[in-house]
Amino acid sequence: MLSVSDAQAIILNLVQPLDRQRDTEVVDLLTADSRILATPVTSPLDFPHWDNSAMDGYAVRYENVQHSNAEQPAILEIVEEIPAGYQPKSTIQPGQAARIFTGAVIPAGADTVIMQEKTRREENRVFILDAPKPQEFVRHQASFYQAGTQLLPAGIKLNASEIAVLAAAQCPQLSVYRRPRVAIFSTGDELVTVDQPLQPGQIVDSNQYALAALVRQSGAEPLILGIVKDDPVALEKVITHAIAIADIVLSSGGVSVGDYDYIDKILESLKAKIHIRAVEISPGKPLTVATFPTPHSALYFGLPGNPAAVLVTFWRFVLPAIKKLSGITEGWEPVFLKVRSHDELRSNGKRETYLWGKLHLIDGVYEFHKAGGSHSSGNLINLAQTNALAVLPVGTTLISPQEEVQVLQLSNG
């Protein structure tokens, strides 16, 4: 049985990111949020586009005002008013100033802006009551970005700040990686859909709905293949179809050692290489990870059947795989925080144990509050409204209240 860290290393080593030549598409900027940039972006524009004012005030020649103070103010003639979006007409001569507003172009001859709070105006004259620093409040052309250099690198997720930069750089369309395709199906004779009445012994297939939501939140495209009965022929048919259409395949159930757990045998019959069969994790010990001979490149995850185990193994193993596959150049691995535990946390110490709960900010310090009720792998109810998993390493049986604990914050993007 593999350790959690060894299993993660194997999985990430198996993932090949989408190909920049083959797996891209062009999208409009307005629909590019949360997509992964496939090619570096440059712009023909300098930022700022021209020297401009960072303040409402007066554009002046520094040499005229460098010794100004309230007792002996420099007195300058106002020769022009320059709002934003206006091209100055005047060249500022010695003894002159221009009224200027934030973002407006610095007129020729001026090299400094005096903020209006440090001036007094009388008709067409301005009195400078305090000496500025040289070039104060002037944003120089190309000081933020020089035209023709790389503006944004490939392999980053486009969030609001990146979208704003691209809009300012007049990039109406972008090359992004296509969304990874993730096939999802559930196995088990006992499963029914949400709209079917329950008969004795049946349970609703919540796994498929949870996995579809998690896949969408990760930026990938879920391909829903439904419920498959515990029948080897039906299972082989759906697996064959899934590996032909998807980059990643997620099945839930059928990977343990019961009489009706057929997944591993079917994978072997399809010439798959099974890299992982079980992991030292609780919940989620029965985990199958497999790859297939060419031409299929799908990565197969046979997840446990119990709903809490499905969610934990997705967050711990599948989400990093989707991130790496998506074309992101770094940051695939889960990120753990060290926080204070509000509650007593226990495990038997035999496997790396994940307990779900909620992070609260208490007096500026994050604190983990364990969800109430049973932490059984079959208990889905108390997972609702949680946002973190506390991790008890192998060999750790107790973390007392107020002790430090490592926590995986649940972020799906």
Side-chain angles (χ1 to χ4, degrees), residues 132-173:
K133 298 176 183 177
Q135 303 184 55
E136 190 168 25
F137 299 123
V138 174
R139 296 185 289 220
H140 292 283
Q141 181 174 347
S143 60
F144 302 161
Y145 167 80
Q146 186 174 1
T149 61
Q150 181 173 280
L151 182 64
L152 292 176
I156 62 169
K157 186 176 181 180
L158 298 174
N159 294 312
S161 55
E162 290 79 20
I163 296 293
V165 167
L166 291 165
Q170 294 188 316
C171 298
Q173 292 187 315

Side-chain angles (χ1 to χ4, degrees), residues 50-65:
W50 45 74
D51 290 358
N52 71 90
S53 176
M55 190 68 63
D56 291 348
Y58 295 87
V60 300
R61 300 167 69 105
Y62 175 72
E63 62 189 26
N64 289 165
V65 298

Side-chain angles (χ1 to χ4, degrees), residues 244-276:
I245 64 172
D247 303 297
I248 290 176
V249 178
L250 304 179
S251 66
S252 61
V255 292
S256 192
V257 292
D259 291 344
Y260 297 95
D261 294 322
Y262 299 119
I263 295 294
D264 283 11
K265 293 178 182 178
I266 293 169
L267 294 175
E268 289 170 348
S269 73
L270 294 173
K271 309 301 182 186
K273 181 175 181 180
I274 299 180
H275 302 269
I276 298 173

Side-chain angles (χ1 to χ4, degrees), residues 43-197:
S43 174
L45 302 174
D46 288 327
F47 285 86
H49 310 318
W50 45 74
D51 290 358
N52 71 90
S53 176
M55 190 68 63
D56 291 348
Y58 295 87
V60 300
R61 300 167 69 105
Y62 175 72
E63 62 189 26
N64 289 165
V65 298
Q66 58 183 316
H67 302 302
S68 289
N69 55 58
E71 286 73 32
Q72 292 185 311
I75 304 172
L76 306 175
E77 178 190 6
I78 301 170
V79 295
E80 189 172 16
E81 183 169 296
I82 309 171
Y86 173 83
Q87 180 61 41
K89 304 294 192 297
S90 303
T91 295
I92 304 302
Q93 304 294 338
Q96 294 182 337
R99 177 71 167 123
I100 197 166
F101 297 88
T102 303
V105 177
I106 300 293
D111 57 16
T112 300
V113 171
I114 306 285
M115 62 189 300
Q116 63 187 25
E117 290 84 353
K118 294 183 177 180
T119 65
R120 184 179 80 252
R121 181 169 178 172
E122 294 181 4
E123 297 180 347
N124 71 331
R125 296 187 303 166
V126 60
F127 293 72
I128 310 303
L129 306 178
D130 192 10
K133 298 176 183 177
Q135 303 184 55
E136 190 168 25
F137 299 123
V138 174
R139 296 185 289 220
H140 292 283
Q141 181 174 347
S143 60
F144 302 161
Y145 167 80
Q146 186 174 1
T149 61
Q150 181 173 280
L151 182 64
L152 292 176
I156 62 169
K157 186 176 181 180
L158 298 174
N159 294 312
S161 55
E162 290 79 20
I163 296 293
V165 167
L166 291 165
Q170 294 188 316
C171 298
Q173 292 187 315
L174 302 166
S175 176
V176 298
Y177 287 105
R178 65 169 175 82
R179 297 185 188 277
R181 295 184 287 265
V182 181
I184 302 168
F185 65 93
S186 302
T187 70
D189 292 340
E190 75 280 14
L191 299 179
V192 297
T193 60
V194 295
D195 56 349
Q196 289 179 266

Side-chain angles (χ1 to χ4, degrees), residues 2 41 69 122 187 208 240 248 252 278 296 309-310 329 341 396:
L2 290 169
V41 174
N69 55 58
E122 294 181 4
T187 70
Q208 190 165 181
T240 301
I248 290 176
S252 61
H296 302 298
V310 165
T329 53
S341 179
T396 298

